[in-house]
Amino acid sequence: MVTAICGRIALSPNHVFNLKPGDKNSVCRGPCASRGILMSISATVSGKGGGGGILEKPVIERTTPGRESEFDLRKSKKMAPPYRVILHNDNYNKREYVVQVLMKVIPGMTLDNAVNIMQEAHYNGLSVVIICTQADAEEHCMQLRGNGLLSSIEPASGGC
C-alpha cells in the first residue's frame, strides 16, 4: 500500500496515480496546501534474483510546483529530436575569421574541428557544424549569423 500526501505518486514511469483529498490512500482530508508537490517513489526488491523478498526503503524525490524532476528532464532530452546546425559557404568572410567564430560560438569546438568544418563548407558549399537540440541549434545559428556567417538548421533525422 502506498500513502501519499496530496499530489501525484509515480511508482514507475508507467504507473502514476493522481490522488485527491479524501482518497483512500491519501493522508490529505480536505483542503491541502501541498497539492502542487510532485512526489515520485521508487523501491527495489532485495533478495536473490529480485523476484521476491523484502522491499527496501523507498526513495522519494520531491519537486516544487512549476519545476520538473530530474527524471522528467532526462526523458524530455531523450525524446527531443536532434537538429543539425549547417554552415554555408560565402564569398565574404576570410577562412581565418570563420574558424575564429566557430570556436567562439560553439562550445567545445577545437581548432582542428573548426578548420575541418570551414574547409568542408568552402569546398562543398556547406558543412554540418554540430548536432544538438532544436533550442541549442537555433541559438548557435543565430550566433553564427550575428557574426556575419551564413547558417541554417534542419532536423537531423531527415535526409542523408
Side-chain angles (χ1 to χ4, degrees):
M1 177 167 148
V2 174
T3 304
I5 300 174
C6 290
R8 286 176 49 185
I9 297 300
L11 297 178
S12 73
N14 299 324
H15 297 89
V16 175
F17 299 97
N18 289 309
L19 299 177
K20 297 175 185 67
D23 279 355
K24 185 168 95 174
N25 295 330
S26 179
V27 173
C28 184
R29 306 275 187 234
C32 186
S34 63
R35 181 178 310 264
I37 296 177
L38 172 70
M39 297 173 65
S40 62
I41 300 175
S42 63
T44 57
V45 177
S46 63
K48 192 172 184 179
I54 302 170
L55 286 176
E56 294 178 0
K57 184 176 179 181
V59 177
I60 300 174
E61 176 187 348
R62 296 181 65 167
T63 59
T64 55
R67 191 165 170 214
E68 295 179 276
S69 70
E70 285 183 37
F71 172 78
D72 291 336
L73 289 173
R74 284 190 305 254
K75 184 177 169 187
S76 67
K77 285 184 181 179
K78 286 181 184 176
M79 295 176 67
Y83 275 73
R84 292 183 188 113
V85 177
I86 300 172
L87 176 68
H88 300 268
N89 186 40
D90 63 40
N91 295 324
Y92 307 105
N93 294 301
K94 294 191 179 237
R95 295 180 191 187
E96 295 81 10
Y97 177 72
V98 173
V99 169
Q100 287 176 347
V101 171
L102 286 170
M103 290 174 49
K104 179 175 82 171
V105 168
I106 308 299
M109 179 66 66
T110 64
L111 177 61
D112 289 341
N113 285 344
V115 168
N116 290 337
I117 290 167
M118 176 274 302
Q119 292 282 30
E120 185 176 345
H122 180 73
Y123 291 114
N124 299 329
L126 56 89
S127 179
V128 175
V129 176
I130 191 171
I131 298 175
C132 53
T133 64
Q134 183 177 4
D136 288 342
E138 289 171 351
E139 179 65 25
H140 295 320
C141 184
M142 294 307 294
Q143 288 179 340
L144 291 171
R145 289 178 181 178
N147 283 280
L149 303 183
L150 298 176
S151 65
S152 62
I153 66 169
E154 68 179 17
S157 56
C160 298

